[in-house]
Amino acid sequence: MTVYGSFPGARPRRLRTTPAMRRMVAETRLHPADLILPAFVREGISEPVAISAMPGVQQHTLDTLRKAAVEAVDAGVAGIMLFGVPVDEKKDAAGNAGTDPDGILQVALRAVRAEVGDDLVVMSDLCLDEYTDHGHCGVLDELGRVDNDATLERYAEMAQVQADAGAHVVGPSGMMDGQVGVVREALDSIGRDDVAVLAYTVKYSSAFYGPFREAVGSSLTGDRKTYQQDPANVRESLRELALDLDEGADMVMVKPAGPYLDVLAKVAESVDVPVAAYQISGEYAMIEAAAERGWIDREKAILESLTGIKRAGADMILTYWATEVARGLR
């Protein structure tokens, strides 16, 4: 090909010439304050328990959870989302360990708040699945179906005990119709209008939750397709979004993150509240497994995956790499 004069006139490669140049013109930047650390605390253990499907992640004791919270603060992480794992003997059909003021999650909330105060946004998963002997996110009716409205009554009680235990933010994640409004009303009724609601607005029935089931000691048989969303649908997610906002959600979430970046982008374009995305256990496990086999560069893959989530519109990202990545960004 013959090149005439200054052809081509447009040379975008000029802005890719050096690492400093690429850094200067970057359109999307990760910051430690974008990150939230999900953490599991297990009742009845004296040492942390490794989660085999999630290398580097563990079920914490109260002591190691406090340490993890302090490390997150030191790294500049914005928040921590707590999940309680009770002993099996305390699981029952109604998930009463989840509303016991002395249940493992409430004990953990108090411990973390005592350790870090307001230096970290302390969040609590508001769902029954960890505490029910059938593993579903709600109570069951006589036919074995999840009873939406009976479950809402349990969520209201959970919200109140979690607020009393010190949660800055509660995250209703069970995908019951009306859950955000019920939780908001329950909090306001006890004078806790200071506690924010992070709505799990878009939560798909995903194959990528597998390692999480080990992490929380799930007792689930069957699936959650009657309440979690169909991965084929987008308009359904936008309808859920409108309902959650109308019910008073302070923040909204898309879960999983990576397989649903298109949905995340649509949600982010539609709202004027902060948008979170949860990079879930299966997303974590795939990168760790491929890196362990030498198939990908672990650190680069982690940052690329998180940058993609941020670029799609997430203001906050829940990721099991939160503390590690935050340290590297500082």
Side-chain angles (χ1 to χ4, degrees):
M1 175 181 178
T2 302
V3 178
Y4 298 98
S6 60
F7 177 86
R11 293 185 181 270
R13 287 184 56 194
R14 293 186 185 116
L15 302 184
R16 304 173 194 153
T17 52
T18 67
M21 178 69 79
R22 295 190 293 272
R23 187 167 59 249
M24 183 179 73
V25 301
E27 299 172 32
T28 303
R29 302 179 192 277
L30 285 172
H31 187 277
D34 298 332
L35 306 176
I36 297 167
L37 176 68
F40 307 101
V41 57
R42 179 173 168 180
E43 188 174 21
I45 58 173
S46 57
E47 298 291 337
V49 176
I51 300 167
S52 63
M54 300 175 69
V57 181
Q58 59 191 9
Q59 295 171 324
H60 286 287
T61 67
L62 288 172
D63 285 340
T64 63
L65 178 65
R66 282 190 284 259
K67 180 181 178 183
V70 170
E71 291 174 347
V73 171
D74 291 344
V77 170
I80 187 168
M81 173 68 80
L82 301 184
F83 297 85
V85 184
V87 295
D88 285 344
E89 305 85 71
K90 292 187 178 179
K91 294 182 180 183
D92 58 29
N96 283 300
T99 51
D100 181 352
D102 294 318
I104 183 59
L105 180 55
Q106 284 68 253
V107 171
L109 286 166
R110 289 193 290 270
V112 171
R113 281 299 305 275
E115 190 70 35
V116 301
D118 293 332
D119 292 339
L120 195 64
V121 178
V122 180
M123 306 177 170
S124 56
D125 178 61
L126 198 163
C127 195
L128 288 171
D129 59 320
E130 295 100 321
Y131 310 101
T132 54
D133 52 15
H134 47 73
H136 279 288
C137 298
V139 296
L140 305 182
D141 64 17
E142 64 279 3
L143 298 178
R145 302 170 301 190
V146 175
D147 186 324
N148 191 94
D149 294 0
T151 298
L152 293 180
E153 295 179 15
R154 303 288 293 124
Y155 286 2
E157 188 177 352
M158 289 188 82
Q160 292 172 343
V161 297
Q162 290 178 3
D164 286 343
H168 293 106
V169 178
V170 296
S173 62
M175 295 306 291
M176 297 297 116
D177 294 338
Q179 63 183 13
V180 171
V182 164
V183 165
R184 181 73 270 158
E185 183 178 352
L187 292 169
D188 292 350
S189 72
I190 60 169
R192 296 310 306 272
D193 57 0
D194 58 321
V195 175
V197 177
L198 169 58
Y200 282 62
T201 292
V202 182
K203 185 177 181 181
Y204 285 100
S205 179
S206 172
F208 292 96
Y209 294 134
F212 182 89
R213 305 265 165 85
E214 176 190 348
V216 297
S218 175
S219 302
L220 180 68
T221 56
D223 59 50
R224 298 182 172 125
K225 292 182 179 180
T226 64
Y227 44 102
Q228 293 179 354
Q229 291 165 246
D230 185 341
N233 294 349
V234 177
R235 288 193 301 269
E236 180 181 36
S237 297
L238 298 179
R239 185 183 185 201
E240 292 277 5
L241 174 64
L243 291 168
D244 283 353
L245 293 173
D246 187 58
E247 292 173 23
D250 298 290
M251 300 172 278
V252 296
M253 185 191 293
V254 175
K255 181 180 181 181
Y260 299 96
L261 295 182
D262 61 323
V263 180
L264 173 59
K266 287 181 180 294
V267 169
E269 291 168 359
S270 303
V271 300
D272 57 3
V273 300
V275 177
Y278 197 147
Q279 186 181 54
I280 66 170
S281 60
E283 298 175 74
Y284 175 95
M286 288 192 300
I287 289 177
E288 289 287 353
E292 188 274 332
R293 288 161 176 77
W295 295 340
I296 59 174
D297 183 304
R298 178 180 178 276
E299 287 72 25
K300 290 180 179 177
I302 291 169
L303 285 174
E304 186 175 335
S305 68
L306 291 170
T307 300
I309 296 166
K310 179 75 179 292
R311 187 185 65 245
D315 300 297
M316 305 166 290
I317 305 172
L318 286 82
T319 176
Y320 300 99
W321 290 302
T323 301
E324 176 188 345
V325 169
R327 286 174 178 152
L329 292 173
R330 299 193 77 176

